[in-house]
Amino acid sequence: MKLKQAYIKGIGMYVPKKVLTNHDLEKMVDTSDEWITTRTGIKERHIAAKNETSSTMGAEAAKEAIKNAGLKPKDIDLIITNTITPDMPFPNTSALIANILGIKKAGVFDIEAACSGFIYGLSIAKQYIRTGEYKNILVISSEVLSRVTDWEDRNTCVLFGDAAAAAVVSESSGKSEIISIYLGGDGAYGDLLYLPGGGSLHPATEATVKNRMHYMKMKGNETFKVAVTKMSESALTILEKANIKKSDVDLLIPHQANMRIIKMVQKTLELSDDKVYINLQKYGNTSAATIPVALYEAVQEGRLKRGDNLILVAFGGGFTWASAAIRW
Ligand code: ACO
């Protein structure tokens, strides 16, 4: 069987209107714009309205991606949504999004790889396109982290935001291609970044609510050290796998969690500032959505053109990590 090439045909994004600035946070917890800016690079983040969820935001991003790809909802064969904040344990968020978009015949499932989710999703879509099993696949990342953020915990509440983005992955007949993807993970780090309550281990009870177990917990400093090591390793691994030299990288889009982590990965790849896309200051860490949101904005701003060598690198809860080499 001759394998086909997969590429990203269209992209879309959605962020809620409400903006929460560092100065707003100063009124909520013991923090300062100065601390948040120097330690993380974040200035503001978007927060979903009461009636917005992962499915409604994901559907908005998906609509734009389908349109941008020159397709109709009926052309979609499979929907893969990456989220750690699904509307509910089931039905899965992809099914809810399919219903909003009026898609009746697509396969629907979710994956959960935290901040690495978009690249994990791309890796699955790529295989289905390569074998010719499907023609057009929606890979959606949608996160409403504000609902699982402990707004009394200054260690975490300054870091996260809400956003969604989507990509249509299709068969390519030209130069554009998802060249190679690398995935990694190590569950031994599970207790550095996690959400303990609400699953089969600690189902919701009065005690789990009282003990604030339905919020994200993170040992920031220990997470930081592993993030720097694994993102740098992943970036080098994908260059080797795809046979791309550091000097041939046109744009790096790293997971947007912390400016200092991004700068260390940039140093590892010896890239100048114009070859690294950063929008962390506007959105904070939106988990699986950071990379596709950045990808969307990089294209809009003309920072990425068809034929460019694009590198994606992610790291998140699990821990999971992942990288991708794409000829855009
Ligand atoms: N405002 C003011 N002070 C604060 C705040 C705050 N918002 N938060 C923490 N501090 C204090 C701490 O209490 C500590 O004070 P102490 O020294 O008196 O104990 C001090 O600042 C330093 O705290 P550290 O945690 O050591 O600060 P650090 O420089 O490591 O920065 C941060 C913290 C920003 C969280 C960083 O560690 C980080 O970015 N970690 C990685 C995040 C990441 O990559 N996550 C993975 C992806 S997320 C996902 O998958 C959903």
Side-chain angles (χ1 to χ4, degrees):
M1 181 174 61
K2 189 170 180 316
L3 291 175
K4 299 172 191 303
Q5 273 177 212
Y7 84 123
I8 296 177
K9 189 172 182 159
I11 44 178
M13 71 170 267
Y14 178 84
V15 287
K17 281 206 179 65
K18 186 182 167 188
V19 172
L20 186 73
T21 66
N22 290 350
H23 294 295
D24 294 330
L25 281 164
E26 285 174 347
K27 294 174 206 137
M28 295 162 65
V29 286
D30 181 13
T31 191
S32 64
D33 173 49
E34 202 262 331
W35 191 95
I36 303 170
T37 306
T38 53
R39 293 292 179 120
T40 73
I42 301 165
K43 295 301 275 184
E44 56 190 38
R45 67 287 292 145
H46 290 243
I47 304 292
K50 273 205 175 104
N51 62 344
E52 289 181 311
T53 65
S54 288
S55 70
T56 65
M57 291 180 14
E60 286 306 314
K63 263 186 222 166
E64 190 184 5
I66 293 170
K67 195 170 162 214
N68 193 256
L71 299 173
K72 299 271 181 240
K74 67 172 172 44
D75 299 320
I76 299 300
D77 303 308
L78 180 69
I79 305 177
I80 304 166
T81 302
N82 325 292
T83 183
I84 52 170
T85 50
D87 286 24
M88 56 189 100
F90 70 91
N92 67 53
T93 308
S94 295
L96 301 175
I97 292 173
N99 190 43
I100 296 170
L101 300 181
I103 297 175
K104 299 282 182 197
K105 287 185 184 157
V108 284
F109 63 86
D110 291 0
I111 60 166
E112 201 274 76
C115 304
S116 310
F118 184 71
I119 302 179
Y120 269 71
L122 275 189
S123 77
I124 302 168
K126 181 187 168 195
Q127 309 309 323
Y128 280 117
I129 299 294
R130 297 265 291 156
T131 57
E133 181 81 13
Y134 292 125
K135 291 217 162 357
N136 301 300
I137 300 175
L138 260 176
V139 179
I140 303 167
S141 294
S142 189
E143 298 287 14
V144 193
L145 297 177
S146 61
R147 305 261 157 83
V148 293
T149 297
D150 186 345
W151 293 104
E152 291 178 13
D153 175 15
R154 70 172 184 175
N155 289 296
T156 52
C157 76
V158 302
L159 304 173
F160 301 105
D162 301 335
V168 176
V169 180
S170 303
E171 186 187 326
S172 165
S173 50
K175 272 201 291 180
S176 297
E177 183 186 5
I178 300 170
I179 303 166
S180 190
I181 293 187
Y182 163 68
L183 306 178
D186 187 346
Y189 294 111
D191 62 348
L192 294 187
L193 173 58
Y194 68 127
L195 195 161
S200 55
L201 180 62
H202 299 295
T205 61
E206 265 178 53
T208 61
V209 173
K210 197 164 147 247
N211 294 327
R212 309 187 82 73
M213 288 168 71
H214 297 276
Y215 298 123
M216 281 183 285
K217 318 278 175 201
M218 181 167 73
K219 294 192 180 113
N221 200 269
E222 290 162 66
T223 302
F224 184 94
K225 288 176 200 152
V226 188
V228 170
T229 309
K230 292 300 174 190
M231 283 183 66
S232 299
E233 268 176 29
S234 303
L236 293 173
T237 302
I238 202 66
L239 289 190
E240 203 183 313
K241 261 189 102 180
N243 199 16
I244 294 174
K245 293 201 284 284
K246 288 176 183 170
S247 55
D248 289 335
V249 173
D250 293 304
L251 193 69
L252 168 73
I253 300 186
H255 173 48
Q256 314 274 314
N258 187 309
M259 186 69 89
R260 291 179 290 147
I261 299 175
I262 294 174
K263 288 288 168 195
M264 289 185 198
V265 180
Q266 172 176 357
K267 203 171 155 205
T268 303
L269 292 197
E270 299 166 33
L271 298 176
S272 50
D273 287 349
D274 60 317
K275 292 193 170 177
V276 183
Y277 193 82
I278 301 170
N279 62 3
L280 168 77
Q281 66 284 356
K282 294 193 286 180
Y283 304 116
N285 181 349
T286 59
S287 190
T290 73
I291 287 179
V293 164
L295 179 59
Y296 179 95
E297 294 199 329
V299 172
Q300 291 287 310
E301 291 165 20
R303 295 272 303 270
L304 186 64
K305 296 176 296 304
R306 285 289 177 199
D308 280 356
N309 285 326
L310 167 68
I311 301 296
L312 311 178
V313 187
F315 177 85
F319 286 150
T320 57
W321 52 89
S323 51
I326 294 174
R327 188 168 308 106
W328 184 255

